[in-house]
Amino acid sequence: MRLDLGLLLVLLTGGAAVVGRGVGGAGDNVKNVAIIGAGAAGSSAAYHLQKYAQDEGLAVNITIFEKTDRVGGRTLTVNLYDDAAHPVELGASIFVTINHILYNATKNFNLPLTEMAMSDDGDITAIWDGDRIVYESVAGTSWWMEAGKLWWRYGLAPYRALKLVKRVVGIFLNLYDEPYFPFRSLTRRVFELGLEKVTSVTGEQLLAENKIGPNFAREIMQPATRVNYASNLAYIHGLEAMVSFSTDGAVSVRGGNWQIFENMVQSSGAALYRNTSVTSISFEKGGMKPGAPRKFLISTRDSQATSDRSEKSPIAFDNVVVASPWQFSGIKADEGVMKQKIDTIPYTKLHVTLFTSPHKLRPGFFNLPAGSRAPSNVYTTLSKEEKPKQGAEGVGKTGFYSISTLMKVRNPKTQQTEFVYKIFSAAAVTPEFLADILGADVPSTFVAAPDEASGSAAQTISWYYPHWFHSYPIELPRVTFQDPIVGRGLYYTSGMESFISTMETNALMGMNVARLMADQFAGMSRGGWLRADEGRGRVLREDFFERVESEMGMNMNIVGQDEL
């Protein structure tokens, strides 16, 4: 367990690091907030709570508990050849310029951006269905020629698809601004915006309803849902399918996207405990003033310790934010802490494999004639004969979702030019599979030991890094979504995951709960139903949670089953 600078300040000053106006304040005027998880949602919640606290003249102490040794959640940067001079993104790799929170944060923190790497002229990006390449794009080809090829093969489908994506994503973006922001019920906002029309159907159904032909859907749209969400169009709701195709202006932070969230945490002034797993959330017993809201106690243990021994945090918290999927947290909530049951959402287990090799991909693997140029980047879909399936079985005969050639690098040991590959797959890749795609022997250890290779240049794979994530939920059609308030003073961010699962949308939910908490502390209530006669001003209320709890009950009666 490692203690960060913020927590050292806590111990020296006798209280948690105070952010916002009233720094140095104490007693009842200071609100203590615990955030469980330092991924996109937790980091964003801390960062925006600090900003809103300043706006409202509030004093807020923020403590973050993170079970790993790093900030950023599913963003993960590793070093090629174990050399810090060659960082590469293993986790969430890109975001787009319409991702207001992430993009604006890079500007605020002066983080340098890089655009998606452009291929060399002649490099091929291909869609493969396990039998043949159904579509390919060649780098360096004119825009007009590529557009003409799409038009000839698919007719008006590309135009209709882009128009649909723009319309649906444009409606979603209303969630960032008043009167739709903030929201105590995501379900209500979905219905107010009319987005239930696209979340209640599959991507396959939505495309068909909009006269987008099955060939374009299978050969172009489905590879996008597979590489972004490991799902076929028949098993992902329409909104997420549209999001997976919205990649204009894709960028990443040079050196790793985790830097956005690290800077958010630092800017918030939060005390950060790394390698600290929260084991339970309970109510403080005794010592409370009559009529005062009950405070929370957090028990934690060292994530790296072999012992299960837990200890209680010395701070009693006014609010707690659970900023990671509840089903993976291992947290026990005492009776009465949680007023609303949290959905269990099935997640995809995605295997991500990075490796370097002097070999290019083998044309024969893709059933191309000898002497053909193999594609550099391969995205996959199902063949016409294959029936779509859910989960890992849905990968089909291709056996993987994508293979990308990220860049060329010079091996620091051999000084030989090598290719950096990244594979997304439903199962761990095998030496046999890698030998097949490269057309060269791969030892069972993947990387040959020095005495196994006839000179280091003979190694098929010189560096290898496998990893797996519970990367994103299986996004089946649904019309109800988890509320962000699950108890008095208890907030939950991962309900956003079954709506849209991206770094940006998790950061949006973090910002949303931060706004709700700031309103709660300031005695305001907003974020409920929109009415035609309702202005955009603030409504002062003292019974914040009484109104929330009544709306929770109404919310569950208005709509039907969670999944259609």
Side-chain angles (χ1 to χ4, degrees):
M1 186 182 298
R2 187 162 78 245
L3 191 62
D4 277 37
L5 178 60
L7 194 57
L8 181 59
L9 292 174
V10 173
L11 299 177
L12 292 176
T13 59
V18 180
V19 299
R21 296 179 189 173
V23 172
D28 293 339
N29 293 327
V30 179
K31 300 297 184 181
N32 293 305
V33 176
I35 298 176
I36 303 170
S43 303
S44 175
Y47 173 65
H48 287 98
L49 180 57
Q50 185 267 353
K51 293 179 67 176
Y52 295 143
Q54 287 183 339
D55 293 342
E56 303 293 348
L58 303 171
V60 183
N61 298 343
I62 305 172
T63 304
I64 302 175
F65 300 98
E66 168 53 46
K67 67 180 179 181
T68 71
D69 63 353
R70 60 186 180 81
V71 169
R74 284 171 288 188
T75 61
L76 176 59
T77 304
V78 298
N79 298 322
L80 296 179
Y81 309 113
D82 304 316
D83 183 350
H86 297 289
V88 64
E89 200 70 65
L90 180 73
S93 301
I94 61 170
F95 53 97
V96 294
T97 52
I98 62 169
N99 290 163
H100 304 311
I101 298 172
L102 301 187
Y103 189 74
N104 290 342
T106 64
K107 300 304 179 186
N108 294 338
F109 300 136
N110 296 314
L111 297 175
L113 297 178
T114 59
E115 296 182 354
M116 288 182 66
M118 301 301 292
S119 301
D120 295 334
D121 283 356
D123 283 353
I124 298 170
T125 296
I127 309 296
W128 187 56
D129 70 0
D131 294 323
R132 64 188 184 91
I133 290 175
V134 297
Y135 189 85
E136 67 177 31
S137 175
V138 181
T141 302
S142 72
W143 181 89
W144 289 106
M145 186 172 292
E146 288 291 347
K149 185 166 63 174
L150 284 168
W151 183 283
W152 176 81
R153 184 170 178 82
Y154 302 112
L156 290 174
Y159 168 75
R160 289 171 177 158
L162 290 174
K163 187 176 179 181
L164 178 63
V165 168
K166 185 176 180 179
R167 184 173 79 245
V168 171
V169 173
I171 294 171
F172 157 74
L173 291 176
N174 283 293
L175 281 177
Y176 285 81
D177 301 311
E178 291 184 350
Y180 299 101
F181 179 88
F183 47 89
R184 295 196 295 268
S185 170
L186 179 56
T187 299
R188 288 184 173 174
R189 290 296 186 256
V190 167
F191 275 83
E192 288 161 355
L193 290 167
L195 286 172
E196 83 285 354
K197 297 180 181 68
V198 291
T199 65
S200 64
V201 296
T202 67
E204 185 176 64
Q205 291 169 329
L206 181 63
L207 294 175
E209 289 171 3
N210 285 271
K211 299 180 180 179
I212 296 166
N215 285 342
F216 184 79
R218 181 179 68 87
E219 296 177 4
I220 303 297
M221 298 293 284
Q222 187 158 266
T225 61
R226 285 165 64 90
V227 72
N228 284 298
Y229 294 106
S231 292
N232 294 310
L233 281 168
Y235 290 98
I236 187 170
H237 64 63
L239 177 59
E240 196 75 289
M242 296 301 98
V243 168
S244 68
F245 211 64
S246 180
T247 57
D248 286 349
V251 294
S252 60
V253 176
R254 188 178 304 146
N257 292 326
W258 60 271
Q259 296 171 87
I260 297 174
F261 308 113
E262 185 78 44
N263 275 274
M264 282 183 169
V265 170
Q266 291 178 5
S267 180
S268 74
L272 172 64
Y273 283 102
R274 301 176 192 257
N275 293 319
T276 304
S277 295
V278 172
T279 57
S280 69
I281 305 171
S282 59
F283 282 128
E284 183 182 31
K285 295 179 175 63
M288 295 182 297
K289 295 181 180 179
R294 302 182 75 177
K295 295 191 176 185
F296 298 96
L297 295 178
I298 299 287
S299 293
T300 65
R301 70 175 185 86
D302 188 335
S303 301
Q304 296 183 323
T306 55
S307 169
D308 290 334
R309 179 176 171 272
S310 297
E311 56 186 31
K312 276 190 168 57
S313 167
I315 301 172
F317 295 99
D318 296 278
N319 280 11
V320 174
V321 179
V322 180
S324 61
W326 181 257
Q327 65 210 64
F328 302 131
S329 69
I331 300 172
K332 177 185 176 183
D334 279 9
E335 185 177 354
V337 167
M338 199 171 289
K339 296 286 187 180
Q340 189 182 78
K341 183 180 178 181
I342 294 177
D343 289 345
T344 297
I345 303 171
Y347 271 72
T348 295
K349 185 176 181 179
L350 181 72
H351 290 263
V352 183
T353 306
L354 286 171
F355 67 95
T356 55
S357 175
H359 297 273
K360 292 186 175 183
L361 299 179
R362 182 174 70 88
F365 180 84
F366 305 102
N367 297 324
L368 295 172
S372 300
R373 183 166 185 168
S376 300
N377 301 292
V378 181
Y379 303 99
T380 65
T381 189
L382 301 178
S383 67
K384 284 186 177 181
E385 295 75 26
E386 287 183 282
K387 183 178 179 180
K389 295 181 180 178
Q390 181 181 327
E393 290 185 342
V395 70
K397 69 175 71 173
T398 62
F400 63 93
Y401 301 114
S402 66
I403 301 176
S404 302
T405 305
L406 300 183
M407 65 185 87
K408 294 178 184 176
V409 293
R410 187 174 296 278
N411 186 315
K413 293 182 179 179
T414 67
Q415 297 303 306
Q416 183 180 18
T417 297
E418 296 185 338
F419 302 95
V420 182
Y421 293 104
K422 186 176 187 178
I423 300 176
F424 285 179
S425 57
V429 301
T430 64
E432 293 77 16
F433 171 77
L434 294 177
D436 201 7
I437 64 172
L438 296 173
D441 291 337
V442 174
S444 60
T445 53
F446 293 98
V447 179
D451 58 349
E452 293 177 338
S454 55
S456 56
Q459 285 185 277
T460 303
I461 295 177
S462 57
W463 178 85
Y464 177 77
Y465 193 104
H467 193 76
W468 68 267
F469 297 91
H470 281 123
S471 52
Y472 14 70
I474 298 173
E475 303 274 17
L476 298 175
R478 57 186 295 159
V479 295
T480 62
F481 302 91
Q482 183 75 55
D483 287 322
I485 303 175
V486 293
R488 282 183 171 251
L490 184 63
Y491 293 81
Y492 184 62
T493 64
S494 292
M496 177 64 81
E497 288 276 81
S498 58
F499 178 60
I500 300 177
S501 177
T502 65
M503 288 189 291
E504 172 72 11
T505 49
N506 278 294
L508 171 60
M509 184 57 92
M511 183 173 75
N512 182 64
V513 300
R515 179 71 267 174
L516 293 175
M517 283 190 290
D519 287 353
Q520 173 203 339
F521 296 150
M524 302 172 192
S525 180
R526 54 182 163 187
W529 278 112
L530 299 181
R531 296 188 297 273
D533 60 346
E534 185 177 89
R536 297 190 180 188
R538 299 173 180 177
V539 181
L540 294 178
R541 296 183 62 91
E542 294 181 355
D543 56 338
F544 179 89
F545 283 110
E546 289 180 12
R547 180 172 176 180
V548 168
E549 287 171 2
S550 67
E551 289 185 352
M552 282 180 181
M554 289 171 59
N555 177 36
M556 300 311 294
N557 293 328
I558 288 169
V559 292
Q561 298 298 313
D562 280 1
E563 295 182 3
L564 300 180

